[in-house]
Amino acid sequence: MKLKQLCVVACLLLTTAGAGHAAQSCRSAGVWLQVLGSGGPELTDGRASSGYLVWQDGRARILVDMGPGSMLRYEQSGARIGDLDVVLLTHLHVDHSADLPALIKAAFFTDRTRDLPVYGPTGNALMPDTAAFVRSLFADPSGAYRYLGGYLTGDEAFRLLPHNVSAMGTAVQSVVAWQGVKLTATAVHHGPIPALAWRVDIAGHALAFSGDMNGDNHTLPKLAAGVDVLVAHHAIPQDAEGVERNLHMPPSVIGEIAAEAKVKQVVLSHRMQRTLGRETESKREIRKRYAGPLAFAEDGQCFRVPMR
Ligand SMILES: [Zn+2]
């Protein structure tokens, strides 16, 4: 067998084994973070856009963001739609929200009967609030997918229940708690876009999700204090300026936040062309401030919470 053929076979085996292992471990006992989408909005990064699952004892209970491609990763993860307790949206940019209709349509083919709450930010002149966003998709007669309007009216097997969470101010907000889970949110600065960071406390462990943000209003350290895992969006390199820097945090800010919050592990996601290939440089900036475990996310990857 020629070298090239050998490589193709070996690479296929590695990919298959890797994906299988990831899915299997996420479904193990304990709490797990699974990265569904580790990319940004580009269609050239080989990654799904933002999406994360929090698994507990074999059930994927919490979905955070659902950008394009994340629902294919959801399918590959083996997660059951009936197990999902809640959907959290950090903000309503396309690369964080566009797969919501895909999830709802897919749910039609399952035995789900429990209502599905969706929590996301309030709106402003640029963005609808989360409830208005959901209505703009599904409400009959005005929604783009009004043929699915029964998921708002109760005429389908379950209802979609959208809730707005304030994307103003600097307070850490207790949003909801149930069955060993507590959800907390705070507004973060993502340029002019209303945006939230989320914290999930589950079974004695804690995870935080920065969403897209640039660090300007300094709210994330308080929300993420002491968490086992901080998923930080690494969308720009250290030397970014202008619009990019108004929307996103550079590696130095990720390091500062991780250190101040004393997080136990950082997972870097929302990776884009402008940061791919510059991992050493990004890591160096973060390492000047934060010494704990640090990982660059890949689609499908699972992280035990806490790490063992
Ligand atoms: Zn965004």
Side-chain angles (χ1 to χ4, degrees), residues 91 93 96 190 212:
H91 62 297
H93 270 154
H96 296 257
H190 184 37
D212 291 358

Side-chain angles (χ1 to χ4, degrees), residues 132-157:
F133 172 72
V134 169
R135 283 198 304 274
S136 75
L137 291 171
F138 303 114
D140 188 9
S142 58
Y145 301 108
R146 51 189 173 265
Y147 79 107
L148 301 175
Y151 289 100
L152 291 181
T153 59
D155 293 326
E156 291 288 351

Side-chain angles (χ1 to χ4, degrees), residues 67-124:
S70 62
M71 287 302 100
L72 174 61
R73 301 296 184 224
Y74 188 96
E75 176 172 345
Q76 292 168 335
S77 78
R80 285 169 27 88
I81 290 175
D83 287 342
L84 199 57
D85 287 349
V86 67
V87 175
L88 308 179
L89 297 171
T90 60
H91 62 297
L92 302 179
H93 270 154
V94 167
D95 55 319
H96 296 257
S97 64
D99 268 4
L100 178 60
L103 178 77
I104 301 312
K105 184 63 230 180
F108 175 83
F109 298 95
T110 72
D111 57 2
R112 185 180 184 98
T113 55
R114 273 194 300 155
D115 290 344
L116 180 62
V118 179
Y119 292 89
T122 48
N124 65 9

